[in-house]
């Protein structure tokens, strides 16, 4: 119990707050955090992907994930740290909800990155990344021509609410970072899709 300070194996300070869930893989803990706050600030774009030893809490490395969308730090809804990491035995992927996906090996060496400009109408972003069939699946707007001004609700208003700015599931090859597919149907930003199987045993995503 942390509240009662009993049976706590170790504690480790984080540089700031974060909303994603820490995960454990192959003896390592991976977690996201905002950058250290050195002056009064309400907003931020970049976040940290961090790795700790699971047995003693020692920080092994931290890497910066850039974002193009400024959001409230520790937002009431969700901020750029809202997505949890996902990992395999030799890869870990961090998502900055504000516009980047980055893959590292467990020693912190970068493998590939993918960046985008989030559409500003989608403020609350609770969708978690998914690992399936050698791919990491995330949710974002496929458009590649958005500008930083479109990351706010006011700036995005001129683009309307049409299908061209819907958010879709997109899969990236875990080994290469190449985009493997974009789902035809749109997916809402307010919930997490689930991987399961149909009655015939075929893999499927409920979204």
């Amino acid at each position: 119990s942390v509240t009662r300070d009993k049976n706590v194996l170790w504690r480790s300070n984080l540089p700031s707050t974060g909303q994603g869930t820490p995960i454990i893989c192959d003896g390592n803990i991976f977690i996201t955090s905002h950058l250290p706050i050195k002056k009064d600030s309400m907003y931020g774009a970049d976040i940290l992907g961090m790795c700790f030893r699971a047995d003693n809490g020692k920080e092994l490395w931290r890497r910066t994930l850039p974002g193009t969308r400024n959001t409230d730090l520790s937002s009431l809804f969700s901020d750029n740290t809202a997505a949890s990491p996902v990992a395999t035995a030799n890869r870990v992927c961090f998502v900055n909800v504000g516009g980047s996906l980055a893959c590292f090996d467990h020693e912190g060496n970068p493998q590939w990155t993918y960046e985008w400009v989030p559409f500003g109408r989608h403020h609350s972003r609770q969708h978690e990344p998914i690992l399936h069939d050698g791919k990491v699946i995330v949710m974002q707007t496929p458009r590649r021509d958005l500008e930083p001004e479109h990351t706010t609700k006011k700036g995005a208003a001129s683009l309307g609410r049409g299908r061209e700015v819907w958010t879709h599931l997109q899969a990236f090859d875990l080994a290469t970072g190449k985009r493997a597919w974009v789902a035809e149907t749109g997916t809402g930003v307010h919930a997490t899709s689930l991987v399961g199987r149909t009655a015939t045993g075929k893999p499927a995503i409920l979204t």
Side-chain angles (χ1 to χ4, degrees):
S1 169
V2 175
T3 302
R4 296 177 180 273
D5 197 24
K6 293 182 178 180
N7 301 319
V8 177
L9 295 179
W10 51 263
R11 298 173 187 266
S12 185
N13 293 328
L14 296 176
S16 186
T17 60
Q19 296 182 335
T21 299
I23 65 168
I24 300 177
C25 183
D26 199 29
N28 292 326
I29 295 177
F30 301 103
I31 191 171
T32 56
S33 169
H34 289 291
L35 297 179
I37 298 176
K38 300 180 179 179
K39 60 181 180 180
D40 287 347
S41 178
M42 293 178 59
Y43 305 101
D46 298 350
I47 70 169
L48 294 173
M50 306 181 67
C51 176
F52 294 83
R53 283 276 301 271
D55 57 354
N56 59 20
K58 178 182 178 181
E59 182 181 334
L60 300 179
W61 50 265
R62 62 175 68 182
R63 301 291 182 264
T64 300
L65 280 73
T68 55
R69 171 181 176 262
N70 273 305
T71 188
D72 303 353
L73 300 176
S74 299
S75 173
L76 178 63
F77 293 103
S78 59
D79 58 37
N80 286 354
T81 66
S84 306
V86 289
T88 65
N90 55 16
R91 293 286 186 273
V92 57
C93 292
F94 297 97
V95 178
N96 181 334
V97 179
S100 65
L101 167 65
C103 182
F104 303 88
D105 63 20
H106 281 213
E107 286 70 48
N109 300 306
Q111 303 301 301
W112 53 265
T113 60
Y114 180 86
E115 298 181 3
W116 69 93
V117 176
F119 183 57
R121 284 192 179 276
H122 310 306
H123 175 67
S124 183
R125 302 163 187 268
Q126 280 89 36
H127 199 283
E128 294 276 28
I130 299 169
L131 282 180
H132 177 66
D133 193 28
K135 300 174 180 63
V136 56
I137 302 169
V138 295
M139 184 277 307
Q140 67 209 37
T141 302
R143 283 185 59 166
R144 303 291 290 161
D145 61 344
L146 299 182
E147 300 292 337
E149 65 189 67
H150 298 136
T151 62
T152 67
K153 290 186 177 182
K154 181 179 180 180
S158 63
L159 299 180
R161 301 172 180 264
R163 188 183 183 92
E164 66 276 6
V165 291
W166 284 8
T167 48
H168 296 255
L169 295 180
Q170 302 179 57
F172 295 83
D173 187 276
L174 195 58
T176 66
K178 294 184 65 175
R179 188 162 62 178
W181 52 259
V182 178
E184 182 178 351
T185 185
T187 290
V189 300
H190 307 295
T192 289
S193 304
L194 298 174
V195 176
R197 292 186 179 275
T198 64
T200 61
K202 183 179 179 181
I205 298 176
L206 177 64
T207 187

